[in-house]
Amino acid sequence: MTGLSRRRTLGLIAFGGLAVPVIARAQTMPTRNISSFTMQRWQDHFDELGPGAIVADTESRALHFWSGDGQTYRTYPTSVPISEELTKRGHTKIVRKKVGPSWTPTASMMERFPQYKPMGPGPDNPLGTHAMYLSWPAYLIHGTHDTRKIGRLSSDGCIGLYNEKIEELFALCPIGTQVRII
């Protein structure tokens, strides 16, 4: 070979007596959005925006928020329930908000993890820095101190966000914001 390695030669093609590099599309190019977020439209889930709207998509592990005036739209990566049995789907709304929430393990958690104990606000609290309570008992949208959970099946029913993202969403959502979990 005349100074070209075999590897490099494989990337060249003869064209009119000259060696010309071949430009080929890589076979590993993604064919869809790598994050797997599915775009949502509030109109597909609610009759009106009301004070605001949230769609928590458990399949794509994303939370979509629209402000009541329709001017603000945000999408956040989330953690979602670990199993179908723990996943509640349907319409609900935010009924209470708390900065620095306390955490109490649910009965099903206590069955699986008897060492769990209630915990006050703080850096190790599983609810993170902010929590928005839904009209369904024991279901929340909250932060998490464990960032490994985001993007995964990892909760016991709640929708979790990074602490800095729940803080942002918390400020945007008034009590009464409608929520649909799909």
Side-chain angles (χ1 to χ4, degrees):
M1 306 207 86
T2 59
L4 295 175
S5 69
R6 178 166 157 62
R7 173 189 267 165
R8 182 147 183 162
T9 304
L10 292 175
L12 302 174
I13 187 168
F15 180 74
L18 299 171
V20 180
V22 175
I23 301 173
R25 184 172 176 220
Q27 297 299 319
T28 59
M29 295 294 290
T31 58
R32 61 185 174 81
N33 182 340
I34 293 171
S35 69
S36 297
F37 285 10
T38 302
M39 285 298 297
Q40 299 291 334
R41 295 173 354 110
W42 70 264
Q43 297 90 336
D44 295 336
H45 304 281
F46 306 102
D47 293 332
E48 59 184 44
L49 277 172
I54 289 174
V55 172
D57 184 344
T58 59
E59 186 174 323
S60 71
R61 301 174 191 159
L63 181 144
H64 303 264
F65 166 78
W66 298 266
S67 61
D69 63 7
Q71 297 299 305
T72 303
Y73 170 74
R74 300 276 192 281
T75 305
Y76 302 98
T78 67
S79 63
V80 297
I82 200 162
S83 69
E84 278 303 310
E85 295 76 34
L86 295 170
T87 304
K88 186 165 181 133
R89 289 185 175 83
H91 289 86
T92 183
K93 65 182 177 178
I94 296 171
V95 295
R96 184 166 67 102
K97 296 170 36 173
K98 177 80 173 148
V99 175
S102 295
W103 175 71
T104 301
T106 64
S108 67
M109 287 177 170
M110 292 302 294
E111 285 177 20
R112 292 190 324 269
F113 307 103
Q115 73 276 15
Y116 280 6
K117 303 290 182 235
M119 184 180 295
D124 296 327
N125 184 309
L127 297 183
T129 60
H130 296 71
M132 298 189 296
Y133 297 79
L134 304 179
S135 62
W136 299 330
Y139 280 82
L140 293 78
I141 299 171
H142 63 80
T144 182
H145 68 291
D146 188 351
T147 58
R148 298 170 298 170
K149 291 183 172 188
I150 303 301
R152 297 190 172 161
L153 302 169
S154 59
S155 80
D156 274 74
C158 296
I159 303 297
L161 283 77
Y162 292 115
N163 277 329
E164 62 273 11
K165 299 303 180 185
I166 190 62
E167 183 177 358
E168 178 183 309
L169 182 63
F170 188 95
L172 293 170
C173 289
I175 290 176
T177 296
Q178 55 194 339
V179 176
R180 181 169 187 205
I181 299 179
I182 59 173

